[in-house]
Amino acid sequence: MSKRPSRFLQALLARAVPNGASGLSLLGDLLEEYTSLRGRSGRLVADAWYTYQVLSIAVPYALGAFRRRSTDLVAKSVRGVGLDLRYTYRGLRASLGVTFLAVVSLSLGIGFTTAVSTLINGIWFAPLPYPNAERMVDIEDTHATEVCNACSPGTSYASFLDWQRDLSVFDGIAATSGRMRILMIGDRPREVRIAAVSGSLAGLMGVKTRLGRAILSEDELPGAEPVLVLGHGLWVSAFARDLGVIGQVLRVDSVPHTVVGVLDEETSTLDRARAWVALAPNAGEHSYGARALWVVGRLAEGTDVETANEQLGTYAAARYEADPSLIPGWSARARPLRGVLAEAAGPPIVAATLFAATLMVLLIACTNLAALLLARVTERERELGIRMAIGSSRGRLVRVAVLESLALALAGGLVGMVVASLSLGRVTTQLMSVVPGWMTFPIDARVVGSVFAAVLITAVMCGTLPMLRAFAITPGQGMIGTIAGRTSPARLRKHDWLLGAQIALGVILLAGSVAAVRTFLRVSDFDRLGHRYEDLITIGLATPEGRYSDAASAQTLTDQLTRRFEAHPSVTAAIASKGLFLGSWGSADSPSPVWVAGAAEAVPDLVVPRHSMSVSTGYFDLLQIPILAGRAIDASDSPGGVATAVASEGAARALWPDAVATEVLGRQFRVDGGSEEQWFTVVGVSADVVYPRSARMVLPKIYTSLAQTSPTLIGDSPSYLLTFQLDVRGPLPDPENWQALIAEVDPDIAIAWVTTVEEELRQWITTFTLNAGLMTLLSSLALGLLLLGVYGTLSYRIATMRHEIGIRVALGAQPGALVRAVTGRVARVFALALMVGLLASVPVGAAFRGGELPLGGEGPVSLTLAAGLLLLIGVLACLAPVRRALAIDPIESLKAD
Amino acid sequence: MAQESIGELEHLILLTILNLSDGASAIRIRAVLESESERRLTRGALYRSLDRLGEKGLIDWNKVEPTEDRGGHAKRFYLVSATGMEVVRSRRNTLERLWAGAAGVLGG
């Protein structure tokens, strides 16, 4: 039997203690003591003793060794990372040109892509800034026959109260109705958009107040004291943050309202309303037909839109069946609020176009980066070969390549974020006054994340993968291959693809942007409108509700104001007009149908000249709208006489399809205003005017005499909104002067707007301007990136052709032949990609033309312009590299190898 | 050259080796140290200290050829090297100076 301790324990100890130091001696000493102890106390005690000794010695030794090893490893890694970083820095510095191009290209790409994506996200996709916004829905009355041609007619107060009381699918429901009203601040009337809101709205929207309280349900009750809640913006601009504003009594449309609260800055209203009053409809507005409200609700937890729609439908069917006095066919529907708001913000085609353009720019930036990095790796093949030959590990080379790519992507990303926040800051400042409260534009982490991820993946893939391929060749081959100054055909092809992709994308983008700019130019040519627009001022006046609702007082007001305006030294003539909105406008219960004399039925709603107007004497002269037959509205059309009208050509065709212009003179039609009706006789036919937002679409119009048309004929506008157009010579008078002048007639009249007609028209075409501007920005960016890309590709190619160029020059090649040799391949790629891009632009353009706005692919002109511009960019990008190629000294280039 | 610094245990080990002038094996060093200092000393701590002293060049050793009962492992007899002697002397001088200064308080 062995007199030794367990072999396992001995082996364990031998492994734990350091070899060669006192370790071996220790093993011997322990054995010696073990043997002695075993002799004295027996095997059991000796074994236990030995086990204890092994553990108490081995564990601290093992721990110490582990600590030392990890410290070594960390130190080594730190040293390695430091070394890698130093190599990375050196590598980037060595090819400073490529580094600079890559960072510029990336920062522009990332910056503008992020900015535009954030805008698109804010307008069309970002969650609404309200609690449980994903469950919020828009609820509205609908009619099967789509009387208003798919428009939303609004909802009646009666329906709102029914739904609030009876429907269980909503855990909150609120109504609002905003319009411009006159708010007296001090002794000055101001036209302010004020929303009448139900008391439930504050809770639904999670409203916070800066001072006082929001509108409550009690404020809606009959007989409640009228109260006013100011929006934060109005409180700051009109009350200079006055903390004592609570309790002040302000007149809204001449009715005193007590200020009870100021909304918090963070509260985003649903529309552009700057103040709130309580929803307090009059008796007439309690009818189911008075559809003037916007109703929003929040689905109860666990309910979906389909269930809500089922309940709304069943409920409406039961209600209309129970009450035969109601017009049948009406129902109601709920739609996700975010979708409804997105739709209202702009046609989806605009979002799609901008988004596609943004993606293309990002794609071009990534392709550009790929080409630059690929060129860089190829240039460094020789360096790689040398490094590998002198023992650098492949791991280190890959690490350095990844680090370089990451450094480029991060630098580009950081500068890009600065570009994004600066450009977004500018844009949002511009937009704040025109966008509704729910629209906010914080830089979205998902947007930044996606953009960054795309760039990072491109950078790492294109900076690293070619290098992995380079490892397939032996160090010697790598050195010889690049010493000869050649590059593989496969790599050249890869470059061609990248360049071609950039060019093709550039053509599509450019064609879209040229089309957008051409559309903008066409709609901004106001000569096509068919009326005068220069040297004219337009003033919109809002009168106190009910004060000028009879014909005589309205006529007196118009006469007095006209005289005052014409007495102004800058004004040579003044005319007045007022909108006369004919047809049903979606509300089948309160329509203003037009009846042609002798016809059995009213003029169909879809062809009725909706945008008609009542005008004063001199309207056609001042606006230079030609009269084609008969006469214009003049002084003979006085109150009490036969009511006259002038029909535009389009309106005459709509009302009397079978008659030519002269035949409609003397014909009669009736406007049925519900409570009253009025007959008009056509005395003239005028030329058509064009809708400002379209290239050719005419607006059929009937012009009645302002003096003869009852102000309440169509009865839809509680305040009497009168528009004056003034013929102005010389500089524009100060708006304050207009206010003083109007106050002489009635101090309660507010100026809704004062602007030039030209400026007003420009506001009509804001969408086109914005679209053209954004598309121009994006395509300029793409062109810039393309310029960098072509320049980089060509520079790279010339660098790899130095040897060949040297030989060609030595053999007596002419400059022309050299240029062909250098640019031949690029030119072929350019031509091919241009063709592919042009072909792709045609279907893309056709898709855009199907939309509401003519945005892209505007036929051969846009495409030719785009192609020409790209060719120019191509030639520009070639200039510097070609000059460099021509300057190559054959002796130097051959010596260098 | 700056003198190597040593801890208390290392100091005691050096003194023990000097005391065992006829043969300072690790086993004996431990036995003497435990009995003289009246403290327990684990083998792990002793051998690690011996390793450290060796690395600092303060001790040296003679090897006795391996024997069967030691499992074929050589036995070491430790000696204090010249540098070790210097360190021990210097430490004694320091302690004597300090003792002299504290004699008034401690007595003796």
Side-chain angles (χ1 to χ4, degrees):
Chain A
M1 200 174 87
S2 167
K3 293 190 174 171
R4 298 275 174 82
S6 134
R7 277 176 192 280
F8 168 73
L9 287 174
Q10 287 187 64
L12 190 73
L13 188 63
R15 201 167 168 72
V17 297
N19 216 0
S22 58
L24 296 178
S25 156
L26 160 66
L27 298 178
D29 289 349
L30 273 188
L31 266 180
E32 202 182 312
E33 288 190 72
Y34 172 82
T35 313
S36 154
L37 185 64
R38 185 169 168 157
R40 286 199 314 274
S41 314
R43 186 185 165 197
L44 207 63
V45 175
D47 279 347
W49 175 85
Y50 192 81
T51 307
Y52 170 73
Q53 294 303 325
V54 168
L55 291 177
S56 64
I57 295 171
V59 171
Y61 260 116
L63 283 176
F66 175 74
R67 217 168 20 237
R68 269 195 305 280
R69 256 205 298 273
S70 16
T71 315
D72 284 355
L73 200 69
V74 169
K76 215 164 141 190
S77 308
V78 168
R79 268 202 306 280
V81 169
L83 218 57
D84 288 350
L85 288 175
R86 209 158 52 228
Y87 286 148
T88 305
Y89 171 68
R90 277 192 207 150
L92 292 174
R93 204 182 51 184
S95 44
L96 207 56
V98 174
T99 306
F100 178 73
L101 286 181
V103 171
V104 168
S105 158
L106 273 181
S107 53
L108 290 177
I110 293 177
F112 284 100
T113 309
T114 307
V116 178
S117 307
T118 303
L119 284 179
I120 295 172
N121 185 47
I123 298 172
W124 283 283
F125 305 106
L128 299 174
Y130 308 119
N132 299 311
E134 71 287 349
R135 286 196 272 133
M136 283 178 85
V137 286
D138 168 279
I139 315 164
E140 62 181 359
D141 280 341
T142 55
H143 194 277
T145 55
E146 299 281 352
V147 285
C148 59
N149 198 15
C151 71
S152 297
T155 297
S156 64
Y157 189 62
S159 292
F160 163 65
L161 290 179
D162 284 354
W163 295 338
Q164 195 175 34
R165 189 186 56 239
D166 296 334
L167 296 189
S168 59
V169 277
F170 305 110
D171 71 6
I173 184 165
T176 168
S177 166
R179 64 183 164 86
M180 301 305 271
R181 300 174 81 158
I182 299 164
L183 177 67
M184 290 297 289
I185 299 172
D187 56 355
R188 277 192 60 185
R190 254 178 89 149
E191 212 191 28
V192 174
R193 176 171 280 276
I194 295 178
V197 302
S198 66
S200 50
L201 187 70
L204 194 69
M205 285 173 54
V207 161
K208 289 185 195 136
T209 49
R210 174 81 171 75
L211 299 173
R213 62 172 177 87
I215 299 289
L216 304 175
S217 298
E218 299 91 271
D219 301 323
E220 271 183 85
L221 298 174
E225 183 196 8
V227 291
L228 178 72
V229 172
L230 303 174
H232 191 269
L234 185 66
W235 179 59
V236 171
S237 66
F239 297 90
R241 296 175 188 269
D242 178 11
L243 296 174
V245 73
I246 303 293
Q248 281 187 26
V249 177
L250 304 176
R251 280 192 295 151
V252 177
D253 284 338
S254 307
V255 179
H257 283 66
T258 309
V259 179
V260 292
V262 174
L263 294 181
D264 190 78
E265 196 172 7
E266 284 172 23
T267 293
S268 308
T269 53
L270 272 172
D271 53 11
R272 287 195 292 273
R274 306 191 72 198
W276 284 359
V277 292
L279 195 60
N282 57 37
E285 286 170 312
H286 270 95
S287 106
Y288 284 99
R291 298 188 169 86
L293 295 183
W294 179 20
V295 177
V296 290
R298 189 171 49 224
L299 294 171
E301 222 159 331
T303 316
D304 57 14
V305 176
E306 285 73 33
T307 318
N309 277 327
E310 270 172 35
Q311 206 177 99
L312 281 166
T314 317
Y315 187 82
R319 187 177 70 190
Y320 283 94
E321 204 175 313
D323 188 348
S325 72
L326 298 175
I327 294 177
W330 284 93
S331 184
R333 67 173 170 186
R335 292 179 297 163
L337 184 62
R338 187 64 186 90
V340 172
L341 292 176
E343 218 172 87
I349 188 79
V350 176
T353 315
L354 288 175
F355 194 64
T358 311
L359 275 186
M360 280 188 195
V361 170
L362 187 62
L363 213 57
I364 291 177
C366 285
T367 322
N368 207 334
L369 179 70
L372 284 170
L373 289 176
L374 207 58
R376 199 156 170 279
V377 171
T378 312
E379 265 176 12
R380 296 177 67 190
E381 224 163 54
R382 178 186 172 139
E383 178 201 329
L384 285 184
I386 295 173
R387 282 191 182 200
M388 279 162 71
I390 60 174
S392 191
S393 74
R394 293 178 177 191
R396 158 148 296 158
L397 293 179
V398 171
R399 268 206 312 277
V400 171
V402 171
L403 276 175
E404 283 185 13
S405 309
L406 284 178
L408 281 179
L410 284 179
L414 288 178
V415 182
M417 282 303 118
V418 175
V419 172
S421 60
L422 284 180
S423 48
L424 262 181
R426 281 193 71 83
V427 171
T428 43
T429 314
Q430 298 286 319
L431 287 180
M432 271 312 140
S433 57
V434 291
V435 297
W438 58 264
M439 232 184 245
T440 51
F441 304 105
I443 293 186
D444 189 278
R446 283 170 307 174
V447 169
V448 176
S450 322
V451 172
F452 238 75
V455 171
L456 222 54
I457 291 169
T458 311
V460 172
M461 274 176 60
C462 299
T464 316
L465 291 186
M467 187 169 274
L468 293 180
R469 221 192 112 265
F471 292 153
I473 50 171
T474 63
Q477 277 174 335
M479 287 164 69
I480 295 164
T482 47
I483 284 169
R486 286 184 219 102
T487 185
S488 70
R491 190 159 296 166
L492 274 179
R493 271 201 299 280
K494 214 175 282 172
H495 257 272
D496 292 344
W497 274 108
L498 289 173
L499 183 65
Q502 285 183 64
I503 295 167
L505 285 170
V507 177
I508 299 173
L509 193 56
L510 211 55
S513 116
V514 169
V517 172
R518 289 183 65 222
T519 308
F520 162 71
L521 289 177
R522 209 163 49 230
V523 292
S524 62
D525 169 22
F526 299 131
D527 287 335
R528 79 199 143 83
L529 297 180
H531 63 77
R532 179 184 161 195
Y533 60 93
E534 285 162 320
D535 301 322
L536 286 177
I537 284 182
T538 173
I539 300 183
L541 298 178
T543 58
E545 210 165 320
R547 193 172 296 179
Y548 300 99
S549 50
D550 64 288
S553 62
Q555 181 58 35
T556 312
L557 176 72
T558 311
D559 287 346
Q560 282 179 341
L561 285 171
T562 306
R563 274 200 300 280
R564 299 270 172 175
F565 284 130
E566 286 184 339
H568 194 283
S570 303
V571 177
T572 53
I575 47 125
S577 61
K578 182 181 180 290
L580 187 68
F581 302 106
L582 303 179
S584 77
W585 290 84
S587 176
D589 299 341
S590 54
S592 305
V594 176
W595 297 77
V596 170
E601 285 180 10
V603 179
D605 206 56
L606 293 177
V607 297
V608 79
R610 289 183 172 193
H611 297 269
S612 292
M613 56 209 299
S614 304
V615 300
S616 68
T617 305
Y619 181 87
F620 293 91
D621 281 347
L622 191 82
L623 291 178
Q624 297 171 356
I625 299 172
I627 297 293
L628 306 175
R631 64 170 178 86
I633 300 291
D634 61 25
S636 65
D637 304 311
S638 55
V642 177
T644 56
V646 170
S648 74
E649 261 188 305
R653 252 196 318 277
L655 264 54
W656 298 281
D658 51 345
V660 295
T662 45
E663 288 173 345
V664 303
L665 297 179
R667 296 203 182 187
Q668 290 184 311
F669 65 90
R670 190 186 84 208
V671 174
D672 188 348
S675 58
E676 56 186 322
E677 57 180 49
Q678 196 170 4
W679 281 94
F680 294 92
T681 304
V682 177
V683 293
V685 176
S686 72
D688 279 320
V689 292
V690 173
Y691 180 51
R693 293 182 70 165
S694 83
R696 285 176 291 273
M697 193 179 102
V698 298
L699 279 181
K701 279 178 183 230
I702 285 171
Y703 306 89
T704 64
S705 161
L706 190 59
Q708 295 175 323
T709 311
S710 163
T712 54
L713 178 61
I714 53 173
D716 68 338
S717 173
S719 60
Y720 184 76
L721 198 65
L722 195 61
T723 309
F724 275 86
Q725 256 107 24
L726 313 179
D727 190 349
V728 183
R729 298 277 178 255
L732 268 183
D734 179 2
E736 286 290 331
N737 289 348
W738 298 128
Q739 182 66 59
L741 191 143
I742 293 158
E744 287 171 20
V745 177
D746 182 343
D748 290 342
I749 293 179
I751 296 183
W753 69 83
V754 181
T755 180
T756 63
V757 171
E758 199 167 346
E759 188 48 43
E760 195 180 30
L761 288 170
R762 290 206 185 286
Q763 280 180 13
W764 272 95
I765 60 165
T766 308
T767 313
F768 295 94
T769 318
L770 201 68
N771 191 41
L774 275 175
M775 286 297 282
T776 308
L777 181 78
L778 285 171
S779 55
S780 314
L781 190 64
L783 281 183
L785 291 175
L786 212 58
L787 191 79
L788 291 179
V790 175
Y791 173 83
T793 306
L794 214 60
S795 300
Y796 153 71
R797 196 148 295 174
I798 286 165
T800 56
M801 283 176 75
R802 282 183 77 84
H803 181 79
E804 185 190 333
I805 294 170
I807 294 176
R808 280 177 185 252
V809 175
L811 293 175
Q814 293 302 304
L818 269 186
V819 172
R820 274 199 300 282
V822 170
T823 58
R825 195 177 174 115
V826 173
R828 279 197 296 280
V829 172
F830 213 99
L832 198 68
L834 215 57
M835 273 172 55
V836 171
L838 287 175
L839 285 176
S841 297
V842 175
V844 173
F848 287 156
R849 263 200 306 279
E852 188 185 329
L853 300 171
L855 283 173
E858 283 284 295
V861 182
S862 298
L863 293 181
T864 316
L865 272 173
L869 213 57
L870 265 180
L871 268 179
L872 189 70
I873 290 288
V875 172
L876 277 177
C878 287
L879 284 180
V882 166
R883 273 172 62 114
R884 264 209 304 281
L886 292 177
I888 288 175
D889 179 347
I891 309 291
E892 287 300 316
S893 85
L894 293 173
K895 250 202 286 186
D897 291 340
Chain B
M1 202 181 87
Q3 211 167 57
E4 286 286 354
S5 64
I6 51 170
E8 191 205 355
L9 180 60
E10 289 171 344
H11 187 198
L12 291 177
I13 291 172
L14 287 176
L15 289 174
T16 311
I17 294 172
L18 290 173
N19 274 280
L20 294 167
S21 52
D22 54 336
S25 69
I27 299 173
R28 292 200 64 199
I29 294 172
R30 184 172 163 273
V32 171
L33 244 176
E34 280 199 339
S35 66
E36 291 298 321
S37 66
E38 294 174 356
R39 60 189 260 188
R40 220 178 111 57
L41 176 64
T42 64
R43 285 166 183 78
L46 172 68
Y47 284 93
R48 280 200 305 281
S49 299
L50 286 171
D51 278 348
R52 266 199 309 276
L53 287 168
E55 282 163 17
K56 291 175 182 174
L58 305 184
I59 54 170
D60 213 340
W61 53 84
N62 293 320
K63 278 187 192 172
V64 172
E65 282 310 301
T67 56
E68 183 55 30
D69 62 336
R70 288 180 55 83
H73 300 300
K75 185 166 185 165
R76 286 181 180 184
F77 286 99
Y78 293 92
L79 304 165
V80 177
S81 68
T83 322
M85 291 299 282
E86 268 180 48
V87 169
V88 175
R89 280 193 194 103
S90 152
R91 179 60 74 98
R92 186 180 66 186
N93 291 341
T94 309
L95 289 175
E96 277 176 357
R97 277 198 305 277
L98 291 171
W99 271 109
V105 181
L106 296 168

